[in-house]
Amino acid sequence: MIRLGLRLAVSGGREALLRLLVTAAAVAIGVGLLLTTLAAINAVHTQNDRYAWFNTGFTAASRVAPADREAAGATVSGSTAGSSASGGEAGAGTTASGGAAGSSASGGEAGVGSSASGGKAPMWWLTRRDSFQGREIGRVDVALTGASAATSPGVDRMPADGEYYLSPALARLADATPPEQLADRFGGHRIGILGKDALPAPDSLVALVGRAPQAVRALPGAALVDRIATTSPDHCDDCVVGIKSNGTSLILTVATGALVFPVLILIGTATRLTATQRERRFAAMRLVGATPRQVSVVSAVEAVAAAAAGVALGFLPHLALRAPVAGMSLSGDRFFPSDVTLTPLQVLAVALGVPLAAAVAARIALRRVRISPLGVSRRVTPKPPRAWRVVPLLAGLAELAVFLVWHPGSVPGQIRGYLSAFGLIMLGLVLSGPWLTGRTAALLARRTQRPATLIAVRRLADNPTAGFRAVSGLVLALLVMTATVGIIGTMTAERGRVEGGPQFDNVLTNDLSTGYRRDGLPAAAGRPAPSGLVDALHAVPGVTGVLLVHPLDAPVPIHVADRTAADETVAGETVDCRDLAAVGVFGHCAPGAATAYVPFVWSGFVDYSATEWPAAPYTAEQLTARPVVNVVVSTDGSQAAVEHARTTVDAAYPAIRQSTTLAEGRRLAGSELRAYQQLAGVVILATFPIAGCSLAVAAAAGLGERKRPFSLLRLTGVPLRMLRRVVLLESAVPLLAVSAVAVGVGLLAADLFLRSQLKYTLHPLDAGYWLAVAAGLVAALAAIGATLPMLRRITGPETARNE
């Protein structure tokens, strides 16, 4: 029977071969999209793994034990004194003599390294964030205490004092930019380019900078480490850099629910192509003596042959899509093309799973033939769908409602809960679609008298499952799109900030505090400003003002009359009024005041340009001896001025987070939301083409299955234009009816999720969403209309003959 099935599949005439090719092509599209989705998920994981080494110093496993840290600290202190005596320690730790001092210190550190990590000398480590022209730079400062230090990915050896490595993208920027704007930040000289293993993405801006031990040790946040972190951030509780477990789970949840499910619908639709003709042929085989088991084997062989050919062909669209997917920013950065790969287990699962699913679908499709060989030819009307099909949909919404009063405490519990709820909602919409289609058709049948509409709704009422199957993929895509846009749009609106005006693009600020006390004041701040810093900044072409912000010893209640700053009731810092006026964007002092009280760290989210701040009881000279918590620099907005000033400030005050313009600060604060919006765009752009493919396949298959009834109608005098209206209405009725339900369910699910998880209320969707929905529905109707010219060719008189 297997050989007979293969012969029927490939040697059954032109129609059989065409059926095989069309089914294989449709399955290939679905498999290609499924493989691409899995490869993109793998790329997210691979990219996240390469963030691991940035977390060295943050993770407890990489840090040296306290006893060994004290020993290393004593040795480094000794080396500091030696290098100071020789004039090698120059503050920045970038001179040749400073490097020699670091080397001389390493002799005393070898014993510490051996006791700490099997012969590896410890090193001082600090991961920092810098910026250049609005792009983030990941910077790692290291200070070797011995020759046998652990080696980070992407380099052959760690840089010594005065040496540094740059990523390819950052090296290109440094070569094309005046050194005072970028390269001078790293000091010394470049000794190489970071390899791919050290870079999360092709465009990553990364610097690995070698410095003297005493220079790094003095920086807040520096840690003594004896090994490089290798644990992926999504499996690391202490990690700071990279995508944490909840972020990765979000990406995987959205990708799985929004892409894989519609792809599986496309594959399922493709395997049911020409199901009616196969049912008739197999019924004829039953009439001539074939057993149900033999018919099932032949059916399974035909389905598996088409599905296997589709799986093999599916690797072609996957290979064609690898480069475009690598260029997408699913996680905020592009992928290396080699990251967009499949695991052998995934290839095996798809290669075996799709043909197996096709065989199961074929067996289920022939249940009437197995019961009776006359069941197909008699065309008994199937039982109408029952109302129980709505139960999974209601259960998913009920689960989301339960989370309003009881919420899972752990992130994995939340992921499982919400994934199961949205899974039930999607499954429920697919199951309830036929029932909703049948109820809509019955309602229209009672209210219409037009022949085309009556024929269409009667056919839908007769078999609503077949009518809904054609549009199920598009309806599901609409549900996913509505929920995604609703959730992310509300998050953006709730977390959005006042822009403040274009002047914020021109102002640099930093934060030199190492945390905050219980009263809200900085726990520690930078040293008083070096004597030449302000003059050096004023000498930069394009700098218009310099403001040093000093912390108070205790919070001071203040009253501000300006409505914009009405919420500011406590001052934590003080400034010189002349410098405040020069910067301009943060308001001005009360008349006659020399210094003023101001609120805590300015972020640029509120426009204080018209605010008058109360006077403080200090003189300008008294402030110069106080620590500095912020260095604010206003410029004329030119990139040269911004970057030169940034380099100057960062050389004087190295910090974990280097100076940024206020506009850059706003963008960094909204980077997570932009990643979510990017993900929403990917979902929308991916699900609609997938759903469109499902609709086109289903529409073509539906015409092929009904060509004989349509041919008989034409022979009885029904005009061709009426048949075209019938076909269009048979798809338009379930599409529009169930789409309305999908939009409503998507909005309700989004609101329940926002209320239970984020304590937000759903915001109205903007006009762009409704335009996208309207365009998608119009495109769907156009896809259906594109199949209408086939009616004339497939409904000729010769089609009406008995097969």
Side-chain angles (χ1 to χ4, degrees):
M1 298 305 295
I2 294 178
R3 285 188 298 175
L4 177 61
L6 290 174
R7 289 186 61 186
L8 290 175
V10 300
S11 303
R14 188 178 66 176
E15 182 178 352
L17 185 60
L18 180 63
R19 178 172 62 245
L20 176 66
L21 293 177
V22 172
T23 303
V27 171
I29 294 174
V31 168
L33 294 172
L34 177 59
L35 294 175
T36 302
T37 300
L38 295 175
I41 293 173
N42 294 342
V44 172
H45 278 298
T46 303
Q47 184 182 77
N48 204 33
D49 291 342
R50 285 199 291 269
Y51 279 111
W53 74 282
F54 289 96
N55 291 289
T56 303
F58 296 124
T59 60
S62 64
R63 292 194 291 266
V64 174
D68 294 329
R69 179 186 175 94
E70 292 177 5
T75 307
V76 171
S77 298
S79 68
T80 303
S83 34
S84 297
S86 63
E89 217 287 305
T94 58
T95 63
S97 57
S103 300
S104 65
S106 66
E109 297 293 342
V112 177
S114 300
S115 63
S117 180
K120 292 296 184 182
M123 56 184 165
W124 289 99
W125 184 288
L126 178 62
T127 300
R128 304 159 64 185
R129 186 174 71 185
D130 200 351
S131 301
F132 180 78
Q133 296 184 358
R135 298 178 61 185
E136 281 194 62
I137 299 174
R139 170 171 173 163
V140 176
D141 287 5
V142 296
L144 306 181
T145 62
S148 59
T151 304
S152 65
V155 297
D156 296 328
R157 66 174 180 88
M158 298 299 283
D161 182 20
E163 300 176 341
Y164 62 86
Y165 294 93
L166 300 181
S167 65
L170 184 55
R172 289 193 295 269
L173 282 177
D175 293 339
T177 305
E180 67 273 8
Q181 297 181 28
L182 181 58
D184 286 353
R185 303 180 195 180
F186 311 121
H189 62 283
R190 188 169 74 210
I191 61 171
I193 300 296
L194 289 172
K196 172 187 170 184
D197 292 341
L199 307 178
D203 298 330
S204 294
L205 304 182
V206 181
L208 179 60
V209 182
R211 303 186 65 185
Q214 57 272 17
V216 178
R217 184 189 183 195
L219 298 178
L224 190 65
V225 303
D226 58 2
R227 68 201 70 189
I228 305 298
T230 57
T231 304
S232 179
D234 59 344
H235 296 99
C236 171
D237 295 333
D238 301 326
C239 290
V240 175
V241 184
I243 306 172
K244 298 291 286 183
S245 59
N246 54 347
T248 301
S249 299
L250 171 68
I251 292 174
L252 298 184
T253 300
V254 173
T256 301
L259 298 176
V260 174
F261 206 70
V263 165
L264 295 179
I265 287 182
L266 172 59
I267 294 174
T269 302
T271 57
R272 288 187 53 83
L273 283 171
T274 65
T276 301
Q277 288 88 335
R278 292 203 305 270
E279 287 180 352
R280 292 198 187 100
R281 188 170 68 252
F282 294 145
M285 293 175 61
R286 288 290 313 280
L287 288 173
V288 298
T291 65
R293 180 181 180 84
Q294 290 173 327
V295 170
S296 297
V297 171
V298 173
S299 171
V301 169
E302 280 193 345
V304 168
V311 169
L313 293 173
F315 283 91
L316 297 179
H318 163 62
L319 294 175
L321 290 172
R322 281 186 64 191
V325 169
M328 298 172 64
S329 302
L330 293 180
S331 60
D333 294 299
R334 295 192 304 126
F335 300 121
F336 286 102
S338 59
D339 293 344
V340 188
T341 56
L342 297 164
T343 66
L345 182 60
Q346 290 171 335
V347 174
L348 184 63
V350 172
L352 297 180
V354 171
L356 179 62
V360 172
R363 185 176 181 84
I364 294 174
L366 294 178
R367 57 188 181 277
R368 289 184 297 167
V369 178
R370 292 198 303 272
I371 294 172
S372 168
L374 298 179
V376 176
S377 58
R378 290 175 178 172
R379 306 301 299 168
V380 177
T381 300
K383 294 181 179 181
R386 301 298 181 90
W388 66 264
R389 288 173 171 264
V390 188
V391 172
L393 178 62
L394 298 177
L397 293 173
E399 186 175 357
L400 290 179
V402 168
F403 292 155
L404 292 172
V405 295
W406 177 85
H407 193 263
S410 65
V411 171
Q414 294 169 15
I415 293 296
R416 288 192 297 269
Y418 285 114
L419 182 58
S420 64
F422 279 98
L424 277 174
I425 290 172
M426 289 190 291
L427 178 62
L429 184 65
V430 174
L431 288 177
S432 61
W435 181 78
L436 294 171
T437 300
R439 300 305 300 169
T440 303
L443 179 64
L444 290 176
R446 291 195 296 267
R447 295 178 177 272
T448 187
Q449 295 181 353
R450 294 185 176 183
T453 306
L454 190 60
I455 293 174
V457 297
R458 287 296 187 187
R459 286 181 60 84
L460 284 175
D462 180 66
N463 192 356
T465 302
F468 172 74
R469 187 183 301 125
V471 299
S472 58
L474 192 63
V475 168
L476 185 63
L478 191 57
L479 169 69
V480 172
M481 171 186 170
T482 302
T484 303
V485 172
I487 292 171
I488 294 178
T490 298
M491 291 172 63
T492 303
E494 290 284 346
R495 299 180 184 181
R497 302 290 185 176
V498 178
E499 290 297 324
Q503 68 271 20
F504 286 98
D505 293 337
N506 310 334
V507 179
L508 275 169
T509 184
N510 61 359
D511 183 4
L512 302 177
S513 62
T514 58
Y516 291 87
R517 306 182 325 211
R518 291 185 178 181
D519 59 8
L521 293 179
R527 64 187 185 279
S531 58
L533 175 62
V534 175
D535 293 337
L537 286 171
H538 279 298
V540 174
V543 169
T544 58
V546 179
L547 174 66
L548 302 180
V549 183
H550 309 276
L552 296 173
D553 296 326
V556 176
I558 60 173
H559 173 72
V560 181
D562 183 56
R563 183 177 301 176
T564 304
D567 293 336
E568 304 293 354
T569 59
V570 177
E573 298 157 357
T574 182
V575 295
D576 187 317
C577 290
R578 294 169 299 179
D579 297 337
L580 182 65
V583 170
V585 299
F586 289 129
H588 58 276
C589 298
T595 62
Y597 288 125
V598 293
F600 299 111
V601 176
W602 283 310
S603 59
F605 294 148
V606 179
D607 188 356
Y608 290 131
S609 57
T611 303
E612 180 178 287
W613 302 107
Y618 304 102
T619 65
E621 290 73 19
Q622 288 175 323
L623 292 187
T624 59
R626 298 185 63 83
V628 175
V629 72
N630 286 103
V631 179
V632 181
V633 182
S634 62
T635 70
D636 59 4
S638 66
Q639 287 292 341
V642 169
E643 299 304 335
H644 192 168
R646 195 197 317 259
T647 302
T648 304
V649 172
D650 294 345
Y653 287 107
I656 292 179
R657 294 188 176 185
Q658 303 288 69
S659 299
T660 60
T661 66
L662 298 178
E664 291 170 350
R666 287 197 303 271
R667 287 195 293 269
L668 292 174
S671 59
E672 182 181 9
L673 284 179
R674 286 195 302 277
Y676 290 158
Q677 289 174 321
Q678 176 89 16
L679 194 58
V682 171
V683 169
I684 294 170
L685 293 176
T687 52
F688 267 92
I690 295 171
C693 291
S694 297
L695 179 60
V697 170
L703 286 179
E705 292 178 354
R706 292 175 294 170
K707 59 183 181 180
R708 189 166 185 272
F710 283 160
S711 178
L712 292 174
L713 286 174
R714 285 194 65 188
L715 288 176
T716 59
V718 175
L720 186 61
R721 63 179 180 275
M722 182 179 293
L723 291 181
R724 288 172 176 165
R725 286 198 296 269
V726 169
V727 172
L728 189 61
L729 286 170
E730 284 182 357
S731 298
V733 169
L735 174 64
L736 298 178
V738 186
S739 291
V741 175
V743 170
V745 170
L747 293 175
L748 178 57
D751 185 60
L752 292 173
F753 171 82
L754 290 166
R755 289 175 182 270
S756 61
Q757 180 70 7
L758 302 174
K759 309 305 179 185
Y760 297 156
T761 301
L762 180 68
H763 286 226
L765 275 62
D766 58 18
Y769 163 79
W770 298 108
L771 290 175
V773 170
L777 294 177
V778 170
L781 295 175
I784 298 169
T787 64
L788 298 181
M790 295 173 56
L791 275 175
R792 179 183 298 276
R793 181 172 56 83
I794 68 174
T795 59
E798 68 280 359
T799 310
R801 63 178 176 82
N802 286 321
E803 295 180 350

